[in-house]
Amino acid sequence: MAFASSKNGYRNGPTNIEKALYKMLGGAGYLFEEQKQFGWWTVDAYLPEYNLVFEADGTYWHSKRLEKDAQKDKNLVDFHGVTAVIRLSERDLLGYG
């Protein structure tokens, strides 16, 4: 599998949709870091070669925090130099679990 684990790890392990995201990225041959830390923000996957962040947004959790997610994305781009944040919904990722 084409990934590198971050030092940060998980509290309770990756969620099912995070696992689906990692399977999708790894299956496509991308090198990525899981749970990469940018300041106080932690992202689900970071592709250093492309300077891209991927977030796996669960339906329940992220439907209630759209404003905070937008603030996080803006912070990652403006202050941490990330090229873009790509958010994939639970629905987008269901076929990869």
Side-chain angles (χ1 to χ4, degrees):
M1 186 164 170
F3 78 94
S5 185
S6 174
K7 296 178 197 173
N8 302 307
Y10 300 91
R11 268 187 258 159
N12 297 314
T15 65
N16 287 337
I17 61 170
E18 287 170 341
K19 288 177 188 176
L21 173 64
Y22 304 150
K23 182 177 178 181
M24 181 189 76
L25 293 172
Y30 291 110
L31 178 64
F32 64 93
E33 296 178 47
E34 296 178 6
Q35 300 297 300
K36 171 79 173 163
Q37 195 78 33
F38 288 93
W40 65 48
W41 302 109
T42 302
V43 301
D44 294 328
Y46 174 65
L47 281 68
E49 183 178 354
Y50 301 97
N51 197 29
L52 294 174
V53 163
F54 278 82
E55 293 279 47
D57 291 347
T59 303
Y60 176 79
W61 180 252
H62 288 276
S63 66
K64 300 177 186 311
R65 44 177 292 133
L66 297 175
E67 190 174 312
K68 283 190 178 193
D69 286 344
Q71 180 183 21
K72 177 180 181 179
D73 296 353
K74 183 171 175 25
N75 182 281
L76 289 167
V77 172
D78 292 350
F79 299 107
H80 296 283
V82 170
T83 301
V85 178
I86 300 164
R87 291 188 170 275
L88 299 173
S89 71
E90 187 170 343
R91 175 174 268 176
D92 296 328
L93 294 165
L94 282 178
Y96 290 94

